[in-house]
Amino acid sequence: MLNNFLAFSTLVSIWFSLLASLVTLYGAIRFWIKHSKKIVSITALKRYPTITIVVPAHNEELVIAKTTKGILDLNYPASKIEVLLYADNCQDKTAAEMRKAVDMPEYRYRNVQIIERQGSGGKAGVLNDALEIAQGEYICVYDADALPEQNALYFLVKKVLENPSRYMATFGRNKTRNAKQNFLTRCINQEVIVSQRIQHVGVWNLFKIGRIPGTNFIINTEYVRSIGGWQQGALTEDTEISFRIMEDGYLIALAYNSEAFEQEPEHLRDYYYYQRLRWAKGNYQVVINNFKHLFDRSNWRVKLETFYLTCIFFWFNLAVVLSDIIFFVDLGCVVARFFNPKIPIIFAMDSNLLLMQLLLINWLLMILLYVTQINLALATQYGQATSDQIWLALGSYFTYSQLFIAISIQAVCSVIGDKIFKRDGSKWVKTKRFAD
């Protein structure tokens, strides 16, 4: 009886997860049908607020010079930009590379400060230090490896000026700058495109819910000061502050034309695994900390976002793990019955319809939806929709995407262990950079 209940619950959970994905996909399709016919032009803004651009960098000598130049070349009035470059607890030549870029003749008179920081708190600590001295009306954040497209800041500001009293922050999209390096970076590129062009776009279009990414966003300086800055020790400080903005009734608007190019990990275990593990742990921490909003008087966007993330990181992940276990257990039983017909199918339904058949249908639906999402996302970006990407999507489903199961399980265990043994869960392994 218990096995039937467990199996049926798993099936229903997966159907709900497919439904949630279809709703998001529907929102994204509506958005791109509406915006694909719009001609984007660069026209003068009604005003140009002063922007403080903050770049936290920890041992980033390989990429920081290129990023610094990209920021200083942004299509935005130079007199309205203040740049704070932080070499945070660096043991390499990050600060020297910053100075080399800033000392170039074309940038010599720009408003740039290079700060060699020795302190705690990681990225959140850097942002809070910058908050104390920032002169801009808005703070813009770029990671050390995030090379902004020339008009990235322009589009962020343009969006926030549409409704500055309601839009407390705006965020753009990030793209993979080393996508063609190897199989891993090609898979990451597809993941990023789906996240940026399907999930973020769909949720914003349907519910006006935005999520601040780690880079390529602006946020109202006085607002951040009013809430006490970024949370020290948070592994995903961006998700944490997104919740606080929504709790206060403000919106985080999507500026879909603003783009930055990030360098992704090129090795699996040493860097990718631990980067994604840190992100997963941070998201689990945020969900646990905000779970109370499902039952308090928070506004509907906070409740919906909490419910959505709870489903993604707990309910749906557990359902996928259980479905895999059930499928392979039943498959093993079927194989074993060739040698001993008396072996029962453990998760067979009482109606004699093998649950494995239903799980097989579920798998096919998940594969179809996975590939469809990727290809629709690729179709919205020039030069990405190719036949090679279709085969890559199929291959990545059985390889790359399955890594999230292992990462999720370890992240949950790690978060629980941090709570029980009072460990410092904010430590993380830095992503290795590559010269490009």
Side-chain angles (χ1 to χ4, degrees):
M1 188 68 182
L2 178 61
N3 60 339
N4 285 343
F5 173 77
L6 183 63
F8 182 75
S9 299
T10 301
L11 276 172
V12 173
S13 299
I14 292 177
W15 290 336
F16 270 106
S17 70
L18 290 172
L19 177 62
S21 297
L22 286 172
V23 169
T24 305
L25 184 61
Y26 166 74
I29 291 173
R30 283 190 59 185
F31 178 91
W32 288 116
I33 289 176
K34 177 181 178 181
H35 289 82
S36 61
K37 298 179 181 180
K38 288 188 176 182
I39 298 175
V40 179
S41 58
I42 307 298
T43 57
L45 300 177
K46 55 185 177 182
R47 71 183 186 92
Y48 289 87
T50 302
I51 308 294
T52 296
I53 300 179
V54 183
V55 184
H58 175 63
N59 295 335
E60 301 282 8
E61 63 179 0
L62 292 178
V63 295
I64 193 60
K66 194 170 185 177
T67 301
T68 300
K69 294 174 185 176
I71 288 171
L72 294 173
D73 287 336
L74 284 168
N75 179 26
Y76 200 83
S79 61
K80 295 291 185 177
I81 292 180
E82 173 191 35
V83 181
L84 303 179
L85 302 174
Y86 279 87
D88 181 40
N89 295 287
C90 293
Q91 290 85 45
D92 64 356
K93 299 178 181 178
T94 297
E97 290 297 320
M98 289 174 173
R99 293 189 182 93
K100 188 185 298 184
V102 172
D103 287 342
M104 295 179 69
E106 59 266 41
Y107 308 132
R108 195 164 293 168
Y109 300 104
R110 297 292 297 272
N111 182 8
V112 182
Q113 293 185 56
I114 297 173
I115 302 165
E116 296 189 58
R117 179 179 184 269
Q118 299 295 325
S120 60
K123 182 178 178 180
V126 170
L127 296 178
N128 285 328
D129 284 1
L131 184 63
E132 294 181 4
I133 62 174
Q135 301 297 312
E137 183 178 343
Y138 292 91
I139 288 177
C140 175
V141 179
Y142 284 108
D143 286 343
D145 67 311
L147 181 64
E149 188 271 331
Q150 191 174 26
N151 294 305
L153 181 59
Y154 166 88
F155 286 118
L156 290 173
V157 174
K158 182 179 181 179
K159 186 64 180 181
V160 84
L161 292 180
E162 290 179 6
N163 193 349
S165 62
R166 192 82 191 281
Y167 294 167
M168 207 49 59
T170 57
F171 68 102
R173 295 184 291 109
N174 302 311
K175 301 168 76 171
T176 304
R177 65 199 257 186
N178 57 332
K180 298 181 180 180
Q181 192 66 25
N182 55 37
F183 178 76
L184 176 62
T185 59
R186 287 183 173 89
C187 291
I188 294 175
N189 177 57
Q190 288 191 344
E191 175 198 353
V192 170
I193 290 174
V194 171
S195 173
Q196 303 284 326
R197 303 184 77 91
I198 298 295
Q199 294 173 358
H200 288 183
V201 165
V203 172
W204 169 253
N205 187 48
L206 291 176
F207 309 111
K208 293 297 178 284
I209 292 177
R211 301 160 187 157
I212 291 178
T215 187
N216 193 29
F217 69 90
I218 63 174
I219 187 168
N220 186 284
T221 305
E222 289 306 314
Y223 172 78
V224 181
R225 286 173 177 155
S226 73
I227 63 173
W230 282 266
Q231 181 179 321
Q232 293 281 110
L235 290 174
T236 49
E237 74 292 326
D238 44 7
T239 308
E240 189 276 332
I241 203 170
S242 296
F243 265 97
R244 286 200 274 173
I245 292 172
M246 285 191 293
E247 287 170 28
D248 289 336
Y250 299 110
L251 298 180
I252 305 165
L254 170 65
Y256 71 96
N257 281 316
S258 175
E259 296 182 337
F261 297 83
E262 290 185 299
Q263 190 179 89
E264 299 294 348
E266 296 181 4
H267 301 296
L268 186 61
R269 178 174 175 77
D270 293 340
Y271 300 103
Y272 166 82
Y273 189 85
Y274 290 109
Q275 182 197 64
R276 293 309 199 264
L277 178 62
R278 174 173 63 88
W279 290 356
K281 281 187 64 176
N283 285 320
Y284 278 114
Q285 289 172 353
V286 170
V287 172
I288 291 171
N289 292 337
N290 288 278
F291 189 74
K292 61 181 182 291
H293 294 309
L294 289 176
F295 311 100
D296 62 18
R297 294 180 177 274
S298 298
N299 65 69
W300 67 269
R301 285 191 176 89
V302 174
K303 290 183 182 296
L304 180 60
E305 182 74 341
T306 303
F307 178 73
Y308 179 80
L309 293 179
T310 300
C311 290
I312 293 294
F313 290 105
F314 287 97
W315 182 17
F316 296 160
N317 275 353
L318 178 60
V320 170
V321 172
L322 289 177
S323 72
D324 285 349
I325 293 173
I326 291 170
F327 180 83
F328 285 111
V329 167
D330 277 1
L331 182 62
C333 291
V334 170
V335 174
R337 289 183 66 163
F338 284 106
F339 305 95
N340 185 355
K342 295 182 179 181
I343 294 178
I345 305 297
I346 296 175
F347 290 100
M349 302 289 264
D350 292 335
S351 64
N352 294 322
L353 175 65
L354 291 180
L355 183 62
M356 187 179 67
Q357 293 176 326
L358 293 177
L359 288 173
L360 179 60
I361 294 173
N362 271 5
W363 267 25
L364 293 174
L365 288 174
M366 286 191 290
I367 294 170
L368 178 62
L369 182 58
Y370 181 86
V371 174
T372 300
Q373 280 187 323
I374 288 176
N375 283 279
L376 285 175
L378 293 170
T380 67
Q381 187 165 303
Y382 180 78
Q384 289 280 359
T386 64
S387 58
D388 290 343
Q389 294 280 18
I390 297 176
W391 295 113
L392 178 63
L394 283 170
S396 70
Y397 179 85
F398 295 100
T399 54
Y400 176 79
S401 68
Q402 302 306 313
L403 291 173
F404 291 104
I405 298 175
I407 291 172
S408 296
I409 293 173
Q410 185 172 346
V412 170
C413 294
S414 183
V415 169
I416 294 173
D418 292 343
K419 293 286 186 182
I420 294 174
F421 301 107
K422 301 186 183 303
R423 299 183 305 211
D424 181 7
S426 64
K427 295 180 180 178
W428 53 279
V429 178
K430 179 187 175 299
T431 304
K432 184 177 180 180
R433 305 299 182 200
F434 304 90
D436 59 358

